[in-house]
Amino acid sequence: MKGIHYLLVVATLAVAASIVSAYDPSPLQDFCVAIDDPKKALFVNGKFCKNPKLVKPEDFFFSGLNMAGDTTNPVGSNVTTVNVDTLPGLNTLGVSLVRIDYAPYGQNPPHTHPRASEILVVVEGTLYVGFVTSNQADGKNLLFTKILNKGDVFVFPIGLIHFQLNIGKTPAVAFAGLSSQNPGVITIANAVFGATPPINPYLLARAFRLDKNVVLNLQKQFWSSN
């Protein structure tokens, strides 16, 4: 009887392993339109692999995160990104890194990373940070916030809207690790009111319960990215 149970366990694990090995990989770009002509195709992650015999230490190296970013922009922050585009050795490794500089009262406005969770550590200044959950059964979206000081750490779950605000009178600096070589970013205001071509203003007016003229004015704004 024990032998039968053992065989059932082994068979179950084998089936599970086959399912896991056949599971689709997480997407590394916004979309991947199918194409039959291989001459016009790209790899799913948008990158080709370098011949291992030609790889150099420089392929795994990036310099410059000691330099403060320029925060003289409408949102008062600057994100210096270290991803597969700036550090080729990250390709297929599933991680990336950013440095975020904040002017006094500057912010990293509400945004999401569609392909990554984020863990943030404050190295200078004081930040008010938070994220909003997806729609709950009761129709609400829960807000989780925290005030972070130097040395504090906070996690933003994958895909959820989150933000940071420097609540101090001096500049602030944070570093964040992300669980994707190309996490992507969707800045909510930019995406909604700065889309090209514009989203139908009647739709947005009803969705946000605003006057259509307010929506039209918002769509005329210059939505800058930090």
Side-chain angles (χ1 to χ4, degrees):
M1 199 67 180
K2 289 183 178 180
I4 294 175
H5 287 164
Y6 174 76
L7 290 175
L8 286 173
V9 170
V10 171
T12 301
L13 290 175
V15 172
S18 66
I19 292 174
V20 170
S21 64
Y23 188 81
D24 289 340
S26 297
L28 295 175
Q29 52 200 36
D30 287 344
F31 44 78
C32 182
V33 179
I35 187 169
D36 293 327
D37 185 354
K39 295 181 180 179
K40 298 181 179 179
L42 292 174
F43 286 108
V44 173
N45 63 3
K47 301 292 180 183
F48 292 93
C49 292
K50 191 174 186 179
N51 185 332
K53 295 181 179 180
L54 302 178
V55 170
K56 300 178 180 180
E58 288 74 20
D59 294 324
F60 304 94
F61 175 77
F62 178 91
S63 179
L65 287 187
N66 60 314
M67 303 294 291
D70 182 7
T71 59
T72 57
N73 55 61
V75 295
S77 69
N78 186 284
V79 179
T80 303
T81 303
V82 184
N83 61 17
V84 68
D85 291 324
T86 54
L87 182 55
L90 285 177
N91 195 35
T92 74
L93 298 186
V95 293
S96 58
L97 179 70
V98 298
R99 169 182 172 141
I100 313 172
D101 290 277
Y102 311 83
Y105 307 111
Q107 63 173 286
N108 192 6
H111 63 282
T112 72
H113 300 293
R115 295 179 287 275
S117 295
E118 176 181 349
I119 182 167
L120 178 138
V121 57
V122 178
V123 297
E124 202 66 52
T126 303
L127 299 179
Y128 167 70
V129 306
F131 67 86
V132 182
T133 67
S134 57
N135 300 348
Q136 303 298 294
D138 59 4
K140 296 181 180 179
N141 300 85
L142 303 178
L143 172 65
F144 293 86
T145 65
K146 195 74 175 175
I147 292 178
L148 305 183
N149 296 298
K150 185 176 180 178
D152 290 342
V153 175
F154 199 80
V155 172
F156 306 107
I158 185 172
L160 299 186
I161 295 174
H162 59 284
F163 56 84
Q164 302 106 38
L165 170 67
N166 180 5
I167 58 176
K169 297 180 180 180
T170 60
V173 182
F175 287 86
L178 299 109
S179 60
S180 171
Q181 70 180 45
N182 186 20
V185 60
I186 303 171
T187 305
I188 307 304
N190 299 34
V192 173
F193 296 107
T196 304
I199 297 174
N200 188 307
Y202 293 97
L203 184 153
L204 294 180
R206 187 171 182 181
F208 286 92
R209 301 180 184 179
L210 297 172
D211 183 271
K212 181 173 73 75
N213 290 325
V214 173
V215 172
L216 290 171
N217 183 58
L218 287 170
Q219 290 180 321
K220 293 177 182 177
Q221 303 299 313
F222 174 71
W223 295 97
S224 63
S225 174
N226 62 347

